[in-house]
Amino acid sequence: MAVEGKKLGSFTLKATGGKEYSFPRDFAERLTLFYFYPKDNTPGCTRQACSYRDHYQSFKDCNVQVLGVSKDDMSSHEAFVEKYQLTFPLVVDTDRSLAKELEVTGRDSFLVNGEGRVVAEWRNVSPDTTVEKTLETAKAFLTNNLTS
């Protein structure tokens, strides 16, 4: 079940704000954090999304793009973004193709480098503590790779 070290294949993802992300083109030169959550507008998912919103600038300062992912459709995602003023895109994965590639089993998160390799993963995370953990890991990864 662990996918750390796995290199992702090519894919295109639709996201809120009319964005579309093509891998690997739109993922080069930075880290990407994919955080998977069960459903828009549920209590835990809302706390987690708002925490990423509140810490978004810290991720941006580290050149880490944050992408929330669930199987909800675009209209649900757009309403969720608007309701909670989310500052990062939500990706539509209705067919669960990205979730399958990353072997998502629940509320899982993945840090992917610019080459498309999974460099860290968290399984069945708490919506209340995952943001700090993912940010700390991203900072540590960047520090270690700048000094090596």
Side-chain angles (χ1 to χ4, degrees):
M1 179 165 101
V3 296
E4 192 167 321
K6 178 180 182 172
K7 185 161 174 132
L8 301 178
S10 298
F11 55 83
T12 300
L13 304 167
K14 293 192 182 298
T16 54
K19 295 180 181 171
E20 189 171 274
Y21 294 91
S22 291
F23 183 82
R25 182 191 71 217
D26 296 324
F27 295 84
E29 308 290 323
R30 65 178 137 184
L31 292 174
T32 300
L33 177 74
F34 290 105
Y35 85 89
F36 287 79
Y37 63 98
K39 188 160 181 48
D40 293 338
N41 290 301
T42 58
C45 297
T46 299
R47 287 193 316 274
Q48 187 176 22
C50 290
S51 187
Y52 274 112
R53 176 200 64 204
D54 296 345
H55 288 83
Y56 180 71
Q57 189 60 48
S58 296
F59 283 96
K60 191 174 176 184
D61 290 347
C62 295
N63 198 27
V64 176
Q65 71 178 339
V66 174
L67 298 173
V69 187
S70 82
K71 62 182 179 177
D72 291 310
D73 64 20
M74 186 63 75
S75 63
S76 177
H77 277 347
E78 292 284 3
F80 192 43
V81 166
E82 186 175 328
K83 183 175 182 178
Y84 294 101
Q85 299 298 298
L86 301 182
T87 51
F88 55 88
L90 298 180
V91 171
V92 174
D93 193 28
T94 52
D95 66 357
R96 299 194 33 81
S97 58
L98 184 58
K100 287 174 189 167
E101 179 153 6
L102 290 168
E103 301 177 29
V104 172
T105 59
R107 190 184 302 273
D108 301 337
S109 298
F110 305 88
L111 192 62
V112 178
N113 69 12
E115 298 170 353
R117 194 164 306 282
V118 177
V119 297
E121 66 183 294
W122 301 264
R123 298 292 181 164
N124 297 310
V125 300
S126 162
D128 300 312
T129 60
T130 185
V131 174
E132 290 81 8
K133 289 178 185 176
T134 56
L135 182 57
E136 288 171 18
T137 301
K139 286 179 179 179
F141 178 84
L142 291 167
T143 299
N144 291 336
N145 285 293
L146 290 176
T147 59
S148 348

